[in-house]
Amino acid sequence: MKLGRVVGTVVSTINAPDFDGRTLLLCDLLDPSGDAAGGYLIAVDTVGAGPGETVLILDEGTSARQVLDAPGAPIRTLVVGIVDAVTIAEPTGRAAAT
Amino acid sequence: MKLGRVVGTVVSTINAPDFDGRTLLLCDLLDPSGDAAGGYLIAVDTVGAGPGETVLILDEGTSARQVLDAPGAPIRTLVVGIVDAVTIAEPTGRAAAT
Amino acid sequence: MKLGRVVGTVVSTINAPDFDGRTLLLCDLLDPSGDAAGGYLIAVDTVGAGPGETVLILDEGTSARQVLDAPGAPIRTLVVGIVDAVTIAEPTGRAAAT
Amino acid sequence: MKLGRVVGTVVSTINAPDFDGRTLLLCDLLDPSGDAAGGYLIAVDTVGAGPGETVLILDEGTSARQVLDAPGAPIRTLVVGIVDAVTIAEPTGRAAAT
Amino acid sequence: MKLGRVVGTVVSTINAPDFDGRTLLLCDLLDPSGDAAGGYLIAVDTVGAGPGETVLILDEGTSARQVLDAPGAPIRTLVVGIVDAVTIAEPTGRAAAT
């Protein structure tokens, strides 16, 4: 998964009923510190995310269809969660032990 | 999904009946503001898109086969919609609250 | 799909019968104008493409297996067509209307 | 697979039960020498990895579901192992023979 | 498929029996001339490749599982062949005809 920020919406008629009533969110990809990392994805909303919110983006078709409980949906990319916190931790693990 | 702009067509004989009668569109990838982002994709048209139009490109085989209702088609990339509007919103969400 | 140009062949013994008798083509990726775009793919030939030819490359396993009619083949990338023409069109569509 | 280093965690409510109780690890991608290679992934932990540890990241949905023994889980990226050693070997093989 | 050069091995305990007894090869990605192209992959060995050897890397899960004859293995990337020769050919095809 990737971190993104909702920056807008895309309006387009798509000839596939699974898109009816779904919002297409335009999401900038972020680096872990919350800055734009370059690049974007258009993702189907599943959580009611709005502009400015930091979100988790899942970009695999089989996973997307599971979350939507729609086995035949032609959808690959979803906003699956609103991010509550990103914690950058102090290293304490084995690789840092000397 | 990604935003693209139709810039041309590709003519090639492909030894797979699912391509018969389908147009292969050459699409530049766009950034959200509508500028070329670098890179391109060759996508099968499903909406009658023409040169200069901004389109939604879906790039996953399973999804492409669902949209075409062709379970066995060897097609991964489709133009699935003509984009009516891309709206860049003012942030109002939780991540922007302070 | 992507545009490529056949620039050579790769000889390697692969321990999977689906590769027996198949030619592995070394293909430079091209931009739409026919210049090398950077990067390459090694693709299984299905059309008898030769050095210098511009080809269509399909890079998805499920699609590749459909074209080959070989459901179990461990093959992801195919040359599926020799490109007859790439046409860059004058924009006439809605997005260009003002 | 790719090498990564755990640098933090992500907290987000995801409306899919397969994520319940699972830790989302923020992992910087590494080059073989252990330096940050640019880029990151958010991966579901399966090994109890902690901050600072070098890990193996598996980034394919079907594989992820196999490791979790959860055929329907909407999960694509896993931390599947803690790396004990990366050995850069002296070339002794055929390609180096002259 | 891609060309790579075996540069080392990775040792990690992975909690999935399909990895038992398999060697994880650290492979630099190569350009067609045999120079490092930047980037690397960690691939499961299937051919007994050793350091310094130029190899063919197959990076698709379904294909990997077919080559291994292990339908449920959580493995995406394999070394499937040792490269005997890469031939850069003189163009003789239609695209070069004038």
Side-chain angles (χ1 to χ4, degrees):
Chain A
M1 287 183 290
K2 285 286 199 177
L3 296 170
R5 179 170 294 124
V6 180
V7 296
T9 55
V10 176
V11 179
S12 174
T13 303
I14 301 176
N15 188 21
D18 290 295
F19 283 98
D20 292 352
R22 296 199 195 276
T23 302
L24 298 178
L25 296 174
L26 183 66
C27 299
D28 279 347
L29 294 174
L30 302 181
D31 66 25
S33 60
D35 297 325
Y40 72 97
L41 284 169
I42 298 171
V44 172
D45 186 27
T46 70
V47 294
E53 290 191 303
T54 300
V55 294
L56 265 181
I57 301 174
L58 178 61
D59 188 29
E60 193 219 21
T62 304
S63 294
R65 290 181 276 275
Q66 291 284 350
V67 171
L68 295 172
D69 196 15
I75 293 174
R76 167 178 160 166
T77 312
L78 295 184
V79 168
V80 291
I82 295 172
V83 172
D84 298 312
V86 176
T87 304
I88 308 295
E90 290 299 304
T92 61
R94 273 161 270 179
T98 53
Chain B
M1 287 183 291
K2 285 286 198 177
L3 296 170
R5 179 170 294 126
V6 180
V7 296
T9 55
V10 176
V11 179
S12 174
T13 303
I14 301 176
N15 188 21
D18 290 295
F19 283 98
D20 293 352
R22 295 199 195 276
T23 301
L24 298 178
L25 296 174
L26 183 66
C27 300
D28 278 348
L29 294 174
L30 302 181
D31 65 25
S33 61
D35 297 326
Y40 73 96
L41 284 169
I42 298 171
V44 172
D45 186 27
T46 70
V47 295
E53 290 191 304
T54 300
V55 293
L56 266 181
I57 301 173
L58 179 61
D59 188 30
E60 192 219 21
T62 304
S63 294
R65 290 181 277 274
Q66 291 285 348
V67 171
L68 295 172
D69 196 16
I75 293 174
R76 167 178 161 167
T77 312
L78 294 184
V79 168
V80 290
I82 294 171
V83 173
D84 298 312
V86 177
T87 304
I88 307 295
E90 290 299 303
T92 61
R94 273 160 270 179
T98 52
Chain C
M1 287 183 290
K2 285 285 200 178
L3 296 169
R5 180 171 293 125
V6 180
V7 296
T9 55
V10 175
V11 179
S12 174
T13 302
I14 301 176
N15 189 21
D18 290 294
F19 283 98
D20 292 353
R22 296 200 194 274
T23 301
L24 298 178
L25 296 174
L26 182 67
C27 300
D28 279 348
L29 293 174
L30 303 182
D31 65 24
S33 61
D35 296 326
Y40 72 95
L41 285 170
I42 298 171
V44 171
D45 186 27
T46 71
V47 295
E53 290 191 304
T54 300
V55 293
L56 267 181
I57 301 174
L58 179 61
D59 188 29
E60 191 218 22
T62 304
S63 293
R65 290 181 277 274
Q66 290 284 350
V67 172
L68 295 172
D69 196 16
I75 293 174
R76 167 179 161 167
T77 312
L78 294 185
V79 168
V80 290
I82 294 171
V83 173
D84 298 311
V86 176
T87 303
I88 307 295
E90 290 299 304
T92 61
R94 273 162 271 179
T98 53
Chain D
M1 286 183 291
K2 286 286 200 177
L3 296 170
R5 179 170 295 124
V6 180
V7 295
T9 55
V10 175
V11 178
S12 175
T13 303
I14 301 177
N15 188 20
D18 290 296
F19 284 97
D20 292 352
R22 297 199 194 275
T23 302
L24 298 178
L25 296 174
L26 183 66
C27 301
D28 279 348
L29 293 174
L30 302 182
D31 65 25
S33 60
D35 297 325
Y40 72 97
L41 284 169
I42 299 171
V44 171
D45 186 26
T46 69
V47 295
E53 290 191 303
T54 300
V55 293
L56 265 182
I57 300 173
L58 178 62
D59 187 28
E60 193 218 22
T62 304
S63 294
R65 290 181 277 274
Q66 291 285 349
V67 171
L68 295 172
D69 196 15
I75 293 173
R76 168 179 159 167
T77 311
L78 295 184
V79 168
V80 291
I82 294 171
V83 173
D84 299 311
V86 176
T87 304
I88 307 294
E90 290 299 305
T92 59
R94 273 162 270 178
T98 53
Chain E
M1 286 183 290
K2 285 286 200 177
L3 296 169
R5 179 170 294 124
V6 180
V7 296
T9 56
V10 175
V11 179
S12 174
T13 303
I14 300 176
N15 188 21
D18 290 294
F19 283 98
D20 292 353
R22 296 200 195 274
T23 302
L24 298 178
L25 296 174
L26 182 66
C27 300
D28 279 347
L29 293 173
L30 302 183
D31 65 25
S33 60
D35 296 326
Y40 72 96
L41 284 169
I42 299 171
V44 171
D45 185 27
T46 70
V47 294
E53 290 191 304
T54 300
V55 293
L56 265 182
I57 301 174
L58 179 62
D59 187 29
E60 193 219 20
T62 305
S63 294
R65 291 181 276 274
Q66 290 285 350
V67 171
L68 295 172
D69 197 14
I75 293 174
R76 167 179 161 167
T77 311
L78 295 185
V79 168
V80 290
I82 294 172
V83 173
D84 298 312
V86 176
T87 304
I88 307 296
E90 290 299 306
T92 61
R94 272 162 270 179
T98 53

